Amino acid sequence: MTVVRIYLIDDQAMIRAGFQALLETDESLKVVGSAGDPRHGVDEVGTLRPDLVVLDITMPGVSGLDI
């Protein structure tokens, strides 16, 4: 079975935790990291190289679309 590695970026910790809990109910999905700060998240994505990034596009001070 192939496992899809996912990284979450959202400024709301509760949203990140909820997404992680929901995604990990499927054994073919694994959250490999998360960040509340989009700039930090982008740095980690470059290191961790996940298959998918779930990114909030409406964060205070920065748009996920600008990253």
Side-chain angles (χ1 to χ4, degrees), residues 33-45:
S34 69
D37 178 312
R39 289 170 182 85
H40 175 74
V42 168
D43 290 343
E44 280 199 321
V45 164

Side-chain angles (χ1 to χ4, degrees), residues 23-59:
L23 291 167
E24 290 187 340
T25 61
D26 183 332
E27 62 187 40
S28 68
L29 304 174
K30 178 171 177 58
V31 176
V32 294
S34 69
D37 178 312
R39 289 170 182 85
H40 175 74
V42 168
D43 290 343
E44 280 199 321
V45 164
T47 301
L48 295 173
R49 314 251 330 162
D51 301 309
L52 176 69
V53 175
V54 177
L55 173 64
D56 181 359
I57 62 170
T58 57
M59 292 178 277

